[in-house]
Amino acid sequence: MTVEHGTGTGVHAADSLTADGLTVADVSVAYRRDEFVVRGASFEVPRGDVVALLGPSGCGKSTLLRAIAGLEPLASGTVSWGGEDLARVPPHRREFGLVFQDGQLFSHRSVAENIAYGLRVQRMARAERETRVAELLELVGLPGYGARAVTELSGGQRQRVALARALAPSPRLLLLDEPLSALDRELRDRLALDLAELLRGTGTTAILVTHDESEAGTIANRVLRMRDGRIDS
Ligand code: ADP
Ligand code: MG
């Protein structure tokens, strides 16, 4: 596996047996007893990689992503990071960032307050927080938008803010669930290019869930196909 953007340095002999990144091993998820929606999914996301989970609606992509985030219990299998099993690590302690299709911004807060959310949780000092928010606004192409109300933004701008909010605390893994699917085609193609560039430029490790083949190809450096709860090998 090649890591193009130099986020990883040399692997030391001592930890060469430990995967540096995410390992999903034989994960199954069921909402009802014995009705498996994800069936024995196994894959790795080495640090710096952007992997797409591509498949039709209803095949179990979001369920698998939520299981990786710790939001759905596993019926079997393990999710680990750097060799550490995350079974007992709650979602907010996994250092994973999440972006959903509809952004799920706090609509009564400003753009800057939305982006600063995770930084407040981390208890970052105010001055540092303001610098970081400005940095993120620049990164997602919305410089100077901090004071705006979220309700004044277009759909594309909202998704940029959702992305900035997820990236602000420097997550070790970014989980993107159809982040562009609610947008119209033209905007989607443009944002896909921006997102690809942003992820590569920042060396972000990410999983993109999508049903859109071209989006997967534009954004990810590896595409895993999913069908009926299984990942094709
Ligand atoms: P995708 O994201 O690929 O569209 P999902 O993971 O959302 O697929 O859904 C996979 C299957 O699990 C579907 O049949 C869906 O109806 C079912 N499902 C999703 N969420 C729940 C839930 N909370 N409770 C019960 N069934 C669910
Ligand atoms: Mg889904």
Side-chain angles (χ1 to χ4, degrees):
M1 179 54 54
T2 53
V3 177
E4 285 180 337
H5 295 273
T7 51
T9 51
V11 175
H12 301 290
D15 53 34
S16 61
L17 293 177
T18 307
D20 185 20
L22 184 82
T23 303
V24 173
D26 204 22
V27 163
S28 296
V29 183
Y31 290 107
R32 277 177 293 273
R33 228 178 125 91
D34 298 330
E35 281 181 37
F36 293 96
V37 165
V38 174
R39 305 155 188 262
S42 297
F43 63 98
E44 293 192 353
V45 186
R47 203 191 288 249
D49 241 16
V50 178
V51 167
L53 275 179
L54 174 68
S57 176
C59 76
K61 305 181 296 296
S62 294
T63 302
L64 178 52
L65 203 71
R66 289 172 55 81
I68 291 167
L71 298 167
E72 296 294 344
L74 308 183
S76 68
T78 55
V79 172
S80 50
W81 182 269
E84 185 206 359
D85 186 348
L86 300 179
R88 292 177 185 281
V89 181
H92 64 283
R93 293 263 159 76
R94 293 191 178 196
E95 295 175 56
F96 294 172
L98 280 155
V99 179
F100 300 101
Q101 182 172 338
D102 60 351
Q104 300 192 354
L105 297 175
F106 307 117
S107 58
H108 55 290
R109 296 191 191 179
S110 70
V111 166
E113 285 165 349
N114 267 275
I115 298 172
Y117 177 77
L119 305 176
R120 281 178 179 279
V121 172
Q122 286 183 341
R123 299 183 182 279
M124 184 183 279
R126 181 171 170 183
E128 205 184 332
R129 217 163 59 210
E130 285 174 358
T131 306
R132 181 75 180 141
V133 168
E135 216 174 84
L136 263 306
L137 283 170
E138 191 81 39
L139 187 70
V140 300
L142 294 173
Y145 274 67
R148 300 273 184 110
V150 159
T151 47
E152 293 174 47
L153 304 178
S154 69
Q157 289 171 335
R158 279 168 175 261
Q159 287 310 82
R160 289 175 188 269
V161 173
L163 183 64
R165 182 178 63 178
L167 286 171
S170 305
R172 52 190 183 177
L173 176 68
L174 185 64
L175 302 172
L176 303 155
D177 192 349
E178 310 249 13
L180 308 180
S181 295
L183 309 172
D184 61 55
R185 187 79 238 179
E186 193 190 334
L187 181 59
R188 219 164 135 171
D189 292 345
R190 192 146 45 83
L191 275 189
L193 289 169
D194 286 359
L195 184 54
E197 189 183 307
L198 187 155
L199 295 175
R200 291 208 182 94
T202 53
T204 300
T205 312
I207 301 176
L208 168 78
V209 155
T210 182
H211 64 271
D212 186 316
E213 178 109 36
S214 81
E215 192 178 294
T218 300
I219 297 171
N221 56 299
R222 190 153 53 97
V223 177
L224 300 174
R225 283 165 198 280
M226 202 169 167
R227 204 170 22 177
D228 196 22
R230 294 185 192 280
I231 292 175
D232 294 353
S233 49

